[in-house]
Amino acid sequence: MLISIEGSFIVEFSFSSYPLNDILFSFLFDYISLLFFFTVSLISCVIFLYSKFYFKGSPTSLDYKNVRYTYILALFVVSIFFLVFSGSFLTVMIGWDGLGLVSFLLVIFYNNPSSLDSGLLTILTNRVGDCLFILRFLMIYSGGWFFIDFLSSPYFEGFILLRVLGCITKRAQIPFSSWLPSAIAAPTPVSSLVHSSTLVTAGVYLIIRFNFLFSSVYWIITPLSLFTIILGGVAALSEVDMKKVVAMSTLSQLGFMVFVVSIGGWSLGFFHIVFHAFFKRAIFLRLGSLIHQLRGGQDSRFFGSLLFSRFSKLVFCSRCLSLMGFPFSLGFYSKDLILGVIISGGFSLTIFFFLLGCILTVAYRVRLISLRFLGPGPSFYVSTEFKEFSFFYFPVTILFFCCVLLGNFFLFFFFTPVILSFLEFSIGLFLIFLGVLLHFFYFKSYFFFNYFSNILFLSSVFSYFSSVLKIVPRMQEPTWGEIFGGEGVSLLVSRLQFIFKPSFRLYFYPPSILVFLVFLIILY
Amino acid sequence: MILIVFFFLFSVLGVFDFFFLFWGFPFIFFFVFLLYGGLRDGVFFSDYISLLLVFLTLWVIFFSILSSSLRLSSLFIFCFIGGLLVFSFLCVSFLWFFISFELVFFLIFIFLLGWGVNFERIQACFFIFFYTIVFSLPLLALLLQIQSFFYSFRALYSYCGGGLLCVFSFLVFLVKLPVFGFHGWLPKAHVEAPLRGSMVLAGILLKLGGYGLFRFFPLINQGFGGSFFFRYLFYLGVLGGLFISLVCICQRDLKKLIAYSSVVHIRVMLVGLFRFSDWGVLGSFFMLFSHGFVSPLLFFMLGFLYNFKKSRSILLLKGVVLSCPLFCLFWFFSCFLNLGVPPFISFFSEVLVCGGLRPFFWDVWLIFGVLCFFSGVYCVLLYILPSHGGSVYNGRAFINCKALVLSSSPVFFVVLFPLLFFSFWLISLSLK
């Protein structure tokens, strides 16, 4: 069945049987989903190219392993397809569950205990979201599945709440944010795919899709997202592991998007997702080659002013500047518009925290650049034989041009004409300035470091559960019900063996024959 | 006439069998059949559920016979079990149903004993024996009470009795499901049974209880539908599922873990069935079928793993993905079919059961959610524990072609099955 409404198409496959009238597989094609899938497919194409480079460089590459990797990655793109084009609750579930499972497989791709731990953390948190989504079906049936009355039924609030909580787990908002930093145990191309566009933004994408329903629970989303922005920013400032810094920055950017959606500007939030996908991807790609140069080391204290590959340095700097919202880069267009929208609404505590989050964003970007390029000279174990070849240059170049040119393209074709006043422009610049200042005067205490690199010990609390699963005493089932049941009787019989010793050992079934005889006697 | 030939064939075969205990059974059956009005109501009947269960039975028997070579005597027992199961799903009289399913358990009991006489095995046999025979006696009493109805399932709708006897007579189905508290025999039997035995046990025998509950539905409704005991059973279903999924996580033996996981699935099915709603019943039957396909597959894969690693303990099984990645692919499929991944049937069953909880209570809802989460946890553990988590690499192992075909075929069925089921449902509706 094909329905077309105002430039968007809905394709429906339905099992049209009487009691199950409601099970529909429908796909929705409109400009939001097409644009998002365009981004995802472009970026995953880039990742496929890049992973050829990455696994060639990695010391422990096995051929059949790479085949496995490629298939899993392809599955990832398929499940993203289902999520993006979903038009019904069931189709969403396919993409949603599929993303969780496939990302789990990718995280545990390296066969060692630590990546297994983080994989467990990832899938268990995602499983919480899946459970909430399954329970949501209960609400749907309670309120009525296809009645118009559904929107006014008392169950609707509960339905929305479940939906939002489910989205929160996957987009790693504050109570469930611990899986995101631990998911970097995956190979670098994968973590760039997971972090930048697909998995974490899936939750945000769903919120954008259903934003007209969610307006009643924005009071929950807004403080959570603000908290996430600030916590992610501070954690990114105090983290040492290079990959984790980027993961934390993803966390704070996610908070950013959700905040924008929750104050009403869903289209701005959507474009920020798309932009963020491009620049975060490029940062990860560059990071992968850097990790190869350090022979697998990720500790930022060993990264110095590396003398190799000026080209990728250029790319990396442009990305960081773009994420800061440097004028006329990609991030500038979305961020400055958001700032303008927010500031025009008058001043409040929310806006203060949001501006603080923006300043933190700039600060950790500056930190990334300075760690990479302004530190002491290259450390001694940098491998000199490592070369970046065409499979590295090609994807990075694509993303570079996207970053530079795409902002203008989107501004002219998708946004309504906006006049950027000098005030907003200067506010953006002022924020960047403040962020740079913050970076240089950042309070560097050990406790503070430790506290925030654990993101408020959330990760330790959550990983405690998954580690308990592995240490849990593998015991027999202790039930007293058994002792009074079958086990007790069998004990009794084994005591009786002293009496009926020879016959009992040889043939166990005399009692069964006896019972069968009784059975026959009763019958007749 | 065909029936008589069938029984005669088996009785002749029984002469050559080691266990010639069955020699007289067919004749007894025949007399019982004549005495209790079998000719009046007809012998066989079928609706969509019994047909699908027969299909499932044939598939599981076929699967388990193919999965490894059998001795001739155990092949006979197997065929006999299959025949009895098909008969019990198709017969119109509940007396026949009762007799044949008790006999199947008796045969399983012999099947267990045929593989050795260590103490644990005898204990497991005793467990099966104790639980199944003792709890089936109240049902027998009920059958005697309502014998004037000629024992056809249709007659149950006009039965107006009830009371305590009715309540206790359902214990036989609840034990065979099994519900929490009476599940002690299941893991023990699974651990001691050979691979094929546990495939049949998990694949079909657990479905007998569900089928029985469904057929005796009018009795539940009239006997104790609104009573305290019924509510107790319902909550026992939900809470017991939660407990057993926690027990699952603590298991050391993979085979035991799979056995317990089947108990959890059955529990969800029970919850759906006891809600008395259309969605719930449909969801519970979905659950039965999906479990019937997936759990033999899991046992089959485990058997392969056991042949390769010579162990079932999770302490020794690590890093199989290095030595046999193709096995891990299928192991992944089977584990996550067990979990309920969206486009497949087990997901639909979960959703339908969840939708069937419609006049809902917050506590049931909450417990169901937690149960859902923990069932996810043990399925993930089931996948992870053998395949990942270490780099113990002792040589490559290869799945042979037969194992490949066998392990991929149930996946196909699980994909296909919702369509089949929907079509059957439609046909049955149009006949009404």
Side-chain angles (χ1 to χ4, degrees):
Chain A
M1 197 158 130
L2 189 95
I3 309 165
S4 109
I5 314 158
E6 293 178 7
S8 57
F9 291 93
I10 300 171
V11 182
E12 267 180 4
F13 303 96
S14 62
F15 295 97
S16 56
S17 54
Y18 153 66
L20 299 169
N21 215 353
D22 321 316
I23 290 187
L24 290 173
F25 286 94
S26 58
F27 297 94
L28 172 63
F29 300 92
D30 62 348
Y31 80 98
I32 296 176
S33 56
L34 284 173
L35 193 59
F36 196 72
F37 195 67
F38 154 71
T39 316
V40 169
S41 51
L42 176 68
I43 279 170
S44 36
C45 155
V46 165
I47 288 300
F48 274 115
L49 289 176
Y50 177 78
S51 52
K52 191 153 186 173
F53 154 74
Y54 188 80
F55 281 103
K56 191 142 193 175
S58 103
T60 58
S61 67
L62 287 167
D63 200 31
Y64 73 92
K65 247 185 163 182
N66 289 351
V67 172
R68 182 157 66 96
Y69 168 82
T70 315
Y71 279 125
I72 299 174
L73 212 59
L75 269 180
F76 200 84
V77 178
V78 168
S79 49
I80 258 293
F81 171 84
F82 276 108
L83 187 76
V84 170
F85 289 120
S86 62
S88 74
F89 295 116
L90 275 171
T91 336
V92 167
M93 277 304 291
I94 295 175
W96 190 258
D97 253 8
L99 271 184
L101 285 184
V102 176
S103 66
F104 161 70
L105 281 185
L106 288 171
V107 170
I108 61 170
F109 179 72
Y110 289 134
N111 194 13
N112 53 14
S114 69
S115 68
L116 181 61
D117 271 349
S118 41
L120 263 181
L121 192 58
T122 307
I123 192 157
L124 293 186
T125 319
N126 282 334
R127 180 68 192 164
V128 172
D130 293 345
C131 286
L132 290 173
F133 265 49
I134 288 174
L135 286 185
R136 195 199 51 183
F137 281 98
L138 179 88
M139 295 291 184
I140 291 172
Y141 298 134
S142 306
W145 172 262
F146 47 93
F147 298 131
I148 290 176
D149 206 27
F150 174 55
L151 291 180
S152 62
S153 80
Y155 297 113
F156 182 67
E157 288 287 317
F159 165 72
I160 292 300
L161 200 65
L162 278 181
R163 179 107 206 179
V164 163
L165 282 178
C167 287
I168 276 177
T169 58
K170 196 142 293 194
R171 65 159 206 252
Q173 223 59 348
I174 208 62
F176 303 108
S177 57
S178 60
W179 69 267
L180 187 63
S182 73
I184 56 163
T188 309
V190 174
S191 51
S192 79
L193 192 66
V194 166
H195 278 250
S196 60
S197 68
T198 52
L199 183 57
V200 288
T201 50
V204 189
Y205 177 78
L206 282 189
I207 289 186
I208 286 172
R209 265 262 170 263
F210 293 94
N211 64 68
F212 58 94
L213 294 179
F214 285 169
S215 51
S216 56
V217 284
Y218 279 157
W219 58 272
I220 300 175
I221 300 179
T222 313
L224 278 182
S225 60
L226 272 178
F227 201 39
T228 314
I229 295 174
I230 290 171
L231 205 67
V234 176
L237 271 176
S238 41
E239 190 58 60
V240 205
D241 190 333
M242 205 62 183
K243 242 173 150 182
K244 255 187 185 167
V245 174
V246 184
M248 294 301 178
S249 84
T250 308
L251 200 64
S252 90
Q253 288 299 309
L254 280 175
F256 201 90
M257 294 162 200
V258 176
F259 176 76
V260 173
V261 175
S262 74
I263 60 164
W266 65 268
S267 58
L268 281 178
F270 176 67
F271 285 109
H272 194 66
I273 288 177
V274 175
F275 293 167
H276 172 259
F278 282 110
F279 45 68
K280 189 50 63 65
R281 181 63 48 91
I283 285 171
F284 263 113
L285 296 195
R286 179 65 192 96
L287 203 63
S289 97
L290 209 64
I291 285 169
H292 273 322
Q293 281 177 355
L294 290 177
R295 288 176 179 273
Q298 297 179 7
D299 199 332
S300 64
R301 283 167 295 192
F302 293 119
F303 285 22
S305 56
L306 296 170
L307 295 173
F308 313 101
S309 70
R310 287 167 197 288
F311 171 68
S312 54
K313 260 188 205 172
L314 169 74
V315 172
F316 187 81
C317 281
S318 76
R319 281 327 117 60
C320 283
L321 286 179
S322 146
L323 193 52
M324 271 188 229
F326 197 74
F328 307 114
S329 58
L330 187 60
F332 168 74
Y333 289 106
S334 60
K335 258 192 177 170
D336 230 39
L337 279 177
I338 293 165
L339 271 180
V341 167
I342 288 174
I343 288 173
S344 63
F347 190 79
S348 69
L349 203 62
T350 336
I351 288 172
F352 170 71
F353 279 119
F354 177 69
L355 292 183
L356 190 64
C358 284
I359 292 169
L360 280 172
T361 313
V362 176
Y364 66 70
R365 283 299 138 197
V366 175
R367 180 162 180 263
L368 263 182
I369 296 178
S370 73
L371 277 178
R372 193 72 62 78
F373 303 116
L374 305 178
S379 30
F380 57 92
Y381 60 87
V382 168
S383 75
T384 45
E385 71 266 28
F386 174 74
K387 289 279 189 300
E388 293 167 339
F389 57 98
S390 59
F391 275 116
F392 174 72
Y393 286 130
F394 185 55
V396 168
T397 318
I398 292 176
L399 286 181
F400 180 71
F401 281 112
C402 284
C403 265
V404 175
L405 301 177
L406 217 62
N408 262 317
F409 172 74
F410 276 115
L411 189 71
F412 289 129
F413 283 96
F414 288 99
F415 291 130
T416 48
V418 180
I419 299 164
L420 288 174
S421 69
F422 185 71
L423 178 70
E424 289 159 19
F425 189 73
S426 57
I427 282 173
L429 282 184
F430 183 62
L431 282 182
I432 291 175
F433 174 68
L434 277 182
V436 174
L437 272 186
L438 181 70
H439 167 65
F440 286 116
F441 297 107
Y442 184 60
F443 178 55
K444 291 183 172 64
S445 134
Y446 179 73
F447 172 74
F448 202 61
F449 260 54
N450 207 14
Y451 188 65
F452 277 106
S453 62
N454 273 329
I455 36 170
L456 288 180
F457 303 118
L458 261 181
S459 56
S460 41
V461 167
F462 271 81
S463 63
Y464 178 73
F465 180 70
S466 63
S467 56
V468 156
L469 284 182
K470 292 171 71 183
I471 325 166
V472 87
R474 306 280 169 186
M475 53 198 172
Q476 301 296 317
E477 187 196 6
T479 52
W480 49 265
E482 263 186 32
I483 294 169
F484 289 106
E487 184 144 12
V489 175
S490 77
L491 257 172
L492 201 72
V493 167
S494 63
R495 291 281 157 75
L496 288 179
Q497 275 184 12
F498 293 111
I499 307 167
F500 305 111
K501 211 169 188 179
S503 65
F504 195 81
R505 280 275 165 81
L506 285 178
Y507 291 97
F508 193 74
Y509 47 88
S512 65
I513 293 172
L514 201 79
V515 170
F516 193 73
L517 283 178
V518 170
F519 172 78
L520 285 181
I521 290 163
I522 292 169
L523 264 184
Y524 286 99
Chain B
M1 204 55 212
I2 298 164
L3 202 71
I4 295 165
V5 170
F6 174 75
F7 283 139
F8 183 70
L9 201 72
F10 268 104
S11 63
V12 169
L13 290 177
V15 176
F16 302 107
D17 207 331
F18 177 69
F19 304 98
F20 49 90
L21 197 70
F22 312 123
W23 210 78
F25 282 0
F27 297 103
I28 297 170
F29 271 168
F30 184 62
F31 285 121
V32 170
F33 170 70
L34 284 183
L35 272 172
Y36 288 98
L39 290 177
R40 201 172 315 178
D41 264 338
V43 186
F44 297 124
F45 83 119
S46 61
D47 57 356
Y48 60 105
I49 283 167
S50 58
L51 270 183
L52 289 176
L53 275 170
V54 165
F55 176 63
L56 183 71
T57 309
L58 292 179
W59 166 251
V60 172
I61 294 285
F62 175 71
F63 191 73
S64 52
I65 285 174
L66 273 189
S67 66
S68 54
S69 57
L70 282 167
R71 285 184 307 181
L72 200 62
S73 63
S74 52
L75 191 67
F76 284 144
I77 296 186
F78 239 84
C79 290
F80 198 55
I81 287 177
L84 278 177
L85 279 170
V86 169
F87 182 69
S88 66
F89 287 133
L90 283 181
C91 64
V92 74
S93 141
F94 53 81
L95 180 69
W96 281 75
F97 171 70
F98 177 75
I99 291 170
S100 53
F101 90 71
E102 285 303 324
L103 251 181
V104 165
F105 272 88
F106 192 72
L107 286 177
I108 280 284
F109 172 69
I110 285 163
F111 199 65
L112 267 179
L113 271 185
W115 254 259
V117 280
N118 51 340
F119 177 69
E120 287 82 12
R121 187 154 302 210
I122 288 178
Q123 198 191 15
C125 286
F126 197 85
F127 263 58
I128 287 190
F129 187 74
F130 179 74
Y131 277 113
T132 53
I133 300 295
V134 167
F135 287 104
S136 67
L137 288 177
L139 182 66
L140 195 63
L142 186 80
L143 295 185
L144 291 176
Q145 196 196 358
I146 53 177
Q147 61 176 318
S148 58
F149 287 106
F150 301 117
Y151 300 111
S152 89
F153 280 121
R154 234 172 300 150
L156 284 177
Y157 285 96
S158 52
Y159 177 69
C160 324
L164 211 58
L165 187 64
C166 194
V167 171
F168 279 109
S169 63
F170 283 98
L171 275 178
V172 57
F173 301 123
L174 295 177
V175 167
K176 281 195 175 81
L177 268 176
V179 297
F180 182 75
F182 300 117
H183 65 281
W185 63 275
L186 187 74
K188 285 207 164 48
H190 271 299
V191 168
E192 292 308 322
L195 175 67
R196 295 165 293 281
S198 50
M199 275 158 88
V200 171
L201 203 62
I204 324 165
L205 294 193
L206 300 188
K207 275 85 208 165
L208 272 170
Y211 180 74
L213 276 182
F214 180 73
R215 284 279 171 248
F216 282 82
F217 223 55
L219 278 196
I220 301 179
N221 225 340
Q222 291 152 16
F224 58 106
S227 71
F228 169 75
F229 183 69
F230 181 74
R231 257 176 292 154
Y232 167 74
L233 274 182
F234 182 71
Y235 279 95
L236 193 71
V238 190
L239 272 174
L242 182 58
F243 290 151
I244 292 177
S245 59
L246 287 175
V247 166
C248 251
I249 294 168
C250 303
Q251 288 308 310
R252 218 184 281 140
D253 190 345
L254 274 184
K255 206 171 183 184
K256 239 178 181 176
L257 207 161
I258 298 172
Y260 274 118
S261 85
S262 71
V263 179
V264 177
H265 276 267
I266 292 297
R267 199 55 33 76
V268 175
M269 176 238 136
L270 188 72
V271 170
L273 204 62
F274 273 12
R275 257 342 294 174
F276 289 123
S277 59
D278 243 11
W279 287 84
V281 173
L282 190 64
S284 65
F285 272 94
F286 264 45
M287 188 62 97
L288 278 191
F289 295 130
S290 68
H291 182 253
F293 282 112
V294 172
S295 66
L297 175 64
L298 271 171
F299 279 116
F300 172 67
M301 301 303 283
L302 189 69
F304 179 81
L305 196 63
Y306 184 74
N307 284 339
F308 165 45
K309 285 273 189 181
K310 299 284 178 278
S311 171
R312 292 190 315 236
S313 167
I314 60 160
L315 302 173
L316 296 176
L317 289 170
K318 270 190 176 62
V320 178
V321 76
L322 288 180
S323 30
C324 193
L326 195 59
F327 165 78
C328 272
L329 174 70
F330 284 113
W331 184 245
F332 175 78
F333 266 124
S334 47
C335 286
F336 284 92
L337 284 179
N338 201 16
L339 166 64
V341 177
F344 302 114
I345 181 170
S346 39
F347 166 74
F348 281 117
S349 63
E350 244 170 53
V351 165
L352 288 178
V353 167
C354 199
L357 291 173
R358 197 178 315 158
F360 75 92
F361 317 100
W362 281 97
D363 45 355
V364 172
W365 178 81
L366 199 66
I367 296 166
F368 195 82
V370 179
L371 164 64
C372 219
F373 174 71
F374 278 108
S375 68
V377 170
Y378 71 71
C379 281
V380 168
L381 279 182
L382 190 60
Y383 170 63
I384 274 180
L385 290 172
S387 57
H388 282 266
S391 42
V392 185
Y393 179 74
N394 42 4
R396 298 292 294 277
F398 294 100
I399 291 188
N400 55 358
C401 190
K402 185 181 152 194
L404 200 71
V405 171
L406 274 179
S407 51
S408 56
S409 48
V411 178
F412 168 71
F413 273 118
V414 169
V415 175
L416 194 79
F417 228 69
L419 300 176
L420 256 175
F421 197 90
F422 280 125
S423 56
F424 269 106
W425 185 268
L426 253 183
I427 289 164
S428 73
L429 278 174
S430 61
L431 288 180
K432 270 179 191 173

